[in-house]
Amino acid sequence: MFHQWLRPCLLVVLLAWLPWVHAEEAPLKAVATFSILGDMVKAIGGERIQLTTLVGADSDGHVYQPTPADAKTVAQADMLFVNGLGFEGWLERLVEASGYKGKVVTATEGITGLPLDGGSHQHEGVDPHAWQNLANAKTYIQNITRALQDADPVGSAVYAINRDTYLQQLAVLEQQLAETLGKLPEDRRSVVTSHDAFGYFAAAYQLKFLAPQGINTETEATAKDVAALIEQIRAEKITAVFVENMVSPRLLEQIAAESGATVGGTLYADALSPADGVAGTYLAMMEHNIETLYQALAAK
Ligand SMILES: [Zn+2]
């Protein structure tokens, strides 16, 4: 009689130990191709993943050259997170070189890519910079969460909580963005940056972005392009140009000097700042960009 009562009790004790067993398991090895995506993956994966980001802070993902160490990292990964839409032109070769056979999670899956204007150099004919619209970031977060839940069902509830927290923060920022940029008058909505990284931002928030370089930083701006842009800045009375964190500011400074516009600050386009900088996370980056654009465009 005593024994019959004890047995379920032992089972309860054993079950209570199970979380310990899981906590001792090695975390999921996740690799993200660039810093912005890596930050989102970390926000959802938290302590359950061990993340390596290939293209780090302030670095240019368009022209990245993977190292042998990267191939080794990818070879040992459980999951590989990529932006897609042709952003990582170097990825296929890296995956091949590494012999990686695991899951490749495309964060932009389900997002309709913005078509590119004719004439610019392009990958797959769409603009890869989808993260520059907060609405698209929701899709990134959903795709990342689903992939982590599939790979690690034990952590499913944790990932769901992290996702919900993140989506809430996105909603707050979206509101803030609409309010801030909504205050800009019609004639103060044109901006010049280094390369065409802000197509999604422009489309979502009714701004006009011009750039001497096309969609990909691989393409150098020609003297003719630069001269035409300076003309346009003068003709449209554009007051501010912005440098980008992962592109040399020299050309933009020259354009500002020759056109009479001022340098309105640094926008974070394709990479975060280091963790202790002003754009150490995706959310901080978007907030910084909104504030920087507003301050420069609203100035008389
Ligand atoms: Zn770019």
Side-chain angles (χ1 to χ4, degrees):
M1 179 114 168
F2 182 71
H3 277 89
Q4 267 172 348
W5 176 82
L6 191 67
R7 234 172 265 151
C9 227
L10 265 173
L11 189 67
V12 168
V13 170
L14 274 174
L15 280 174
W17 272 85
L18 272 177
W20 279 95
V21 176
H22 286 290
E24 301 266 308
E25 269 176 17
L28 215 57
K29 286 199 193 102
V31 173
T33 48
F34 70 119
S35 57
I36 293 167
L37 180 60
D39 173 61
M40 292 183 186
V41 172
K42 190 68 198 169
I44 305 305
E47 300 294 312
R48 297 193 68 84
I49 64 164
Q50 183 192 323
L51 177 76
T52 308
T53 297
L54 299 179
V55 185
D58 290 335
S59 299
D60 187 342
H62 291 289
V63 292
Y64 184 67
Q65 288 184 325
T67 64
D70 290 338
K72 211 171 148 192
T73 302
V74 171
Q76 291 166 352
D78 298 314
M79 309 181 74
L80 175 56
F81 290 89
V82 308
N83 183 74
L85 300 180
F87 180 60
E88 301 99 337
W90 41 269
L91 185 80
E92 212 178 294
R93 269 212 326 254
L94 173 63
V95 169
E96 233 165 75
S98 71
Y100 177 73
K101 295 275 183 283
K103 180 139 191 182
V104 178
V105 182
T106 305
T108 53
E109 201 182 300
I111 292 172
T112 309
L114 273 184
L116 298 174
D117 301 336
S120 53
H121 275 256
Q122 44 194 268
H123 290 287
E124 293 177 6
V126 293
D127 182 342
H129 307 88
W131 61 84
Q132 287 292 350
N133 178 348
L134 289 173
N136 288 343
K138 293 178 201 165
T139 305
Y140 279 67
I141 292 300
Q142 298 284 12
N143 286 334
I144 291 164
T145 305
R146 224 171 291 130
L148 286 171
Q149 287 176 326
D150 285 350
D152 173 27
V154 176
S156 196
V158 175
Y159 300 132
I161 290 168
N162 292 347
R163 173 200 59 204
D164 293 346
T165 305
Y166 202 94
L167 290 178
Q168 232 160 11
Q169 290 172 308
L170 271 177
V172 170
L173 192 56
E174 224 173 0
Q175 179 77 22
Q176 185 186 331
L177 185 151
E179 275 169 24
T180 305
L181 295 184
K183 290 186 278 189
L184 289 173
E186 255 333 288
D187 60 345
R188 285 185 175 264
R189 293 184 155 265
S190 291
V191 175
V192 177
T193 54
S194 298
H195 85 296
D196 276 329
F198 295 93
Y200 291 87
F201 194 95
Y205 313 118
Q206 293 85 49
L207 292 166
K208 183 176 169 189
F209 280 77
L210 305 166
Q213 258 183 320
I215 210 79
N216 194 318
T217 55
E218 260 172 303
T219 336
E220 295 253 339
T222 65
K224 203 175 135 220
D225 292 337
V226 173
L229 182 60
I230 289 169
E231 269 311 300
Q232 197 174 358
I233 292 171
R234 288 191 185 128
E236 297 188 20
K237 299 191 170 60
I238 294 170
T239 53
V241 308
F242 298 84
V243 297
E244 288 173 21
N245 64 315
M246 14 58 77
V247 180
S248 162
R250 209 172 310 136
L251 177 61
L252 262 283
E253 284 164 357
Q254 177 205 335
I255 288 169
E258 285 182 35
S259 66
T262 54
V263 176
T266 301
L267 296 181
Y268 288 77
D270 296 5
L272 300 176
S273 72
D276 58 354
V278 293
T281 65
Y282 170 72
L283 294 170
M285 169 187 112
M286 294 302 282
E287 196 171 2
H288 168 88
N289 284 353
I290 295 159
E291 228 11 76
T292 303
L293 282 165
Y294 178 74
Q295 292 302 338
L297 290 174
K300 294 279 171 210

